[in-house]
Amino acid sequence: MKKTKVEDLKRIEISQFKKKKKREVIIILDNLRSLNNVGSCFRTSDAFLIKKIYLVGITGSPPNTDIDRTALGATESVDWEYVSCISNIEKQLKDRGWKIALIEQTDKSIDLKDFQPTSDEKFAFVFGNEVFGVSDEALHCADFAIQIPQFGTKHSFNITVSLGIVLWDHYNKTTKAHKEKGA
């Protein structure tokens, strides 16, 4: 076994990325305080061909050195928009068929293993503040909540870990479902 060289990865240019068909997934970062986390979310969103990121409330936005340090250029490839509060985009997302799903522990959260998205559904996944979770406003906008199972003494993951888990799970389930449909 040997590591793949960067030049052998055949990465596409940003202009090619912009033309690629994106997954029907939007990320909403609800009042994140860490600019490094914001950058990492951009980078992971690029990897999964996410349609757009909404930066809400106190969440920092590009251009920013701390975001760029972890985004590694993904702020240029992934479409994004800043909004002051999630309620400013709730109606337009729902009117266009997007389901708003919190990634949060609530009294009505479904377990991630029980989340069964189909390849034709559109999801806006909301990730909240590193200390306080999603805002009350996001709670009122959501169609449902998803909880990532955890088995240790801690009751939360870093937001970037949660984002990676949820996006991988969604990709895996919808790609499998898409193949099973014969598409």
Side-chain angles (χ1 to χ4, degrees), residues 102-112 114-115 139 144-148:
L102 305 177
I103 309 306
E104 184 64 83
Q105 298 161 340
T106 74
D107 61 338
K108 296 192 179 175
S109 293
I110 61 169
D111 194 290
L112 183 62
D114 297 324
F115 174 56
L139 196 62
F144 62 99
I146 299 169
Q147 180 172 310
I148 302 169

Side-chain angles (χ1 to χ4, degrees), residues 13-147:
E13 298 294 322
I14 290 175
S15 60
Q16 295 169 300
F17 179 91
K18 292 282 192 184
K19 294 176 186 172
K20 281 189 87 110
K21 183 175 180 350
K22 305 297 185 291
R23 300 188 61 76
E24 293 297 318
V25 173
I26 288 173
I27 301 302
I28 300 174
L29 302 179
D30 182 31
N31 291 298
L32 267 61
R33 62 186 181 140
S34 167
L35 298 172
N36 291 317
N37 282 343
V38 174
S40 292
C41 289
F42 268 95
R43 189 170 165 188
T44 301
S45 295
D46 174 284
F48 282 100
L49 286 171
I50 298 311
K51 189 172 286 286
K52 187 171 188 173
I53 295 176
Y54 283 99
L55 307 169
V56 178
I58 66 165
T59 306
S61 60
N64 182 290
T65 304
D66 288 330
I67 293 173
D68 294 341
R69 186 175 295 122
T70 51
L72 297 179
T75 57
E76 301 299 318
S77 57
V78 178
D79 288 339
W80 63 273
E81 181 179 338
Y82 172 81
V83 294
S84 60
C85 53
I86 192 171
S87 61
N88 289 350
I89 55 172
E90 174 193 14
K91 182 172 176 9
Q92 72 183 39
L93 288 174
K94 288 184 177 183
D95 285 351
R96 291 187 281 168
W98 292 88
K99 294 178 183 173
I100 299 176
L102 305 177
I103 309 306
E104 184 64 83
Q105 298 161 340
T106 74
D107 61 338
K108 296 192 179 175
S109 293
I110 61 169
D111 194 290
L112 183 62
K113 71 177 172 23
D114 297 324
F115 174 56
Q116 296 300 322
T118 62
S119 57
D120 58 341
E121 292 177 296
K122 302 188 304 187
F123 291 99
F125 294 117
V126 182
F127 296 85
N129 180 278
E130 295 89 340
V131 175
F132 304 110
V134 299
S135 64
D136 287 341
E137 183 177 31
L139 196 62
H140 297 298
C141 293
D143 295 302
F144 62 99
I146 299 169
Q147 180 172 310

